[in-house]
Amino acid sequence: MKVLVLGSGGREHALVWKLAQSPHTTALWVAPGNAGTCGETLAANGTPVVNVPIGAEDLPALLACARDHRPDLTVVGPDNPLALGVVDLFQEHGFRIWGPNRKASQFESSKVFSQDFMARHGIPTARAGTFSDVQEARRFCESLGGRCAVKADGLALGKGVLLTHSVDEAHRALDEILVDRTFGAAGSRVVIQELLEGMEVSLHALCDGKTALLFPTAQDHKRALDGDQGLNTGGMGTYSPAPFLSDTELASVGRQILEPWLAGCRAEGIDFRGLLYPGVMLTRKGPRVLEFNARFGDPETQVYLTRLENDLVELLNASVEGTLDRMTLKWSSNASVCVVAASPGYPGSYPKGLPIEGLDRAAALPGVKVFHAGTALKNGRVVTSSGRVLGVTAWASTLQGARDAAYAAVDEIRFEGMQCRRDIAAKALGRG
Ligand code: AMP
Ligand code: GLY
């Protein structure tokens, strides 16, 4: 089977790595990929993975690429191409593609849509309202005493959520999003949720429109600095499983969210074939969905795929075909930890093109896989090219072992000003 993957981050390197292991994969292209993706080879025939220099949002060029290579399956990594309708476009032209169509991807591309959907279908979430009128939005914030999560409706590179602790702060957040339009058109409407307290976990479920197969738990670390300090980022590290829910509790949380969600999708004619990623707060009153994403998490994918024992091609095919009810997910009992090595200054501005040393030494360690995220090749050397540079991932029979191995690998790697959090998985080990 010939496969095309869209995207260029750590998530996409992990997808490529796992797809390359499948005996079904006979050719694999990535648009545009990174310096890690083109270093993979296919288990089936030893062929190298090929990067094609097309951005994941350049729909006409992607379609032309599909016409050239005739992939049997295209796999979409990031949210933007989904929201732009890449799935609908490929399907119109007869190409099989994995990921939710434009209508289904609204769960991520519109927070207002998601929040209203949760209200319609009784999905446990925060007390919330959706607004385009500033005065009404202000009054709702005031009714919450200013303790709010104020969220721009549309995609805002993960930056469109402002947490406020007073009425003044909430008013300023509303001005920033609705009046000053700091996030552009994404901020023409807002979701305002009550500010919740609790432990945050990432859930993932692979869906085919009728069935949703729940993954084990993972936890991301969204703030830039140790101790959950500093600015929000795309995610600085993950681990799986997260010990805050037993298997039985996870299944129950999954049921509370996924059953009404599937029923709602059926009732509203939403055919979601892809990955649903609810961000969930475990509060004293039970689980509450903060948001839905319509794609694999990054860097959740890195820890999930290093634990997944199924053939990923078979799973994604079943998601496309609507036959997930015949599949069972199989997970290694190992724990997995991913530590992100980021550019100096990230998530603010940062330099690019810094040479990276020590990748071979890190890769030679047992139970370690260094996923590339923002890397490029320059005169045969691997250099930094984005904010999150590497997802250094390790697995072992214990979480402590996986964490030690991940940091041992991180310590082999150097680039000027490299920053990483030193407390990934610390909460799970009782030290966070
Ligand atoms: P979101 O993109 O909606 O997941 O929000 C980004 C981050 O803001 C989440 O990962 C949470 O850490 C935080 N957050 C979002 N909504 C809430 C809420 N209602 N209460 C507390 N924290 C929140
Ligand atoms: N791990 C955060 C995200 O993928 O949105």
Side-chain angles (χ1 to χ4, degrees), residues 111 126 149 151 158 161 163 193-197 200 222 232 279 281 290-291:
K111 287 185 188 284
K151 308 186 176 189
V161 176
L163 305 180
Q193 293 176 338
E194 67 180 316
L195 198 62
L196 292 173
E197 279 172 18
E200 204 176 329
K222 290 205 169 142
N232 246 324
M281 191 77 92
L290 302 179
E291 63 159 357

Side-chain angles (χ1 to χ4, degrees), residues 118 121-126 253 256-258 260 280 286-290 292:
M118 288 195 274
H121 299 289
I123 296 171
T125 179
V253 168
Q256 289 173 60
I257 296 167
L258 295 174
V280 174
R288 298 285 184 268
V289 176
L290 302 179
F292 284 120

Side-chain angles (χ1 to χ4, degrees), residues 136-201:
E136 282 176 31
R138 283 188 177 187
R139 278 197 291 278
F140 188 72
C141 286
E142 286 156 18
S143 77
L144 295 173
R147 293 182 54 77
C148 311
V150 183
K151 308 186 176 189
D153 176 40
L155 296 178
L157 298 171
K159 294 184 181 156
V161 176
L162 304 174
L163 305 180
T164 69
H165 298 84
S166 69
V167 169
D168 268 1
E169 265 180 45
H171 284 177
R172 276 201 299 277
L174 286 173
D175 283 347
E176 202 175 311
I177 298 177
L178 280 175
V179 182
D180 304 339
R181 292 290 171 91
T182 311
F183 306 107
S188 58
R189 296 187 295 175
V190 289
V191 170
I192 300 170
Q193 293 176 338
E194 67 180 316
L195 198 62
L196 292 173
E197 279 172 18
M199 187 66 85
E200 204 176 329
V201 290

Side-chain angles (χ1 to χ4, degrees), residues 18 26 39 46 52 59 84 103 119 152 161 168 176 179 222 239 274 336 342 353 356 370 413:
K18 187 73 182 164
T26 53
V52 282
L59 269 49
L84 292 169
K103 182 173 177 187
V161 176
D168 268 1
E176 202 175 311
V179 182
K222 290 205 169 142
Y239 63 95
S336 192
I356 306 173
V370 179
I413 299 172

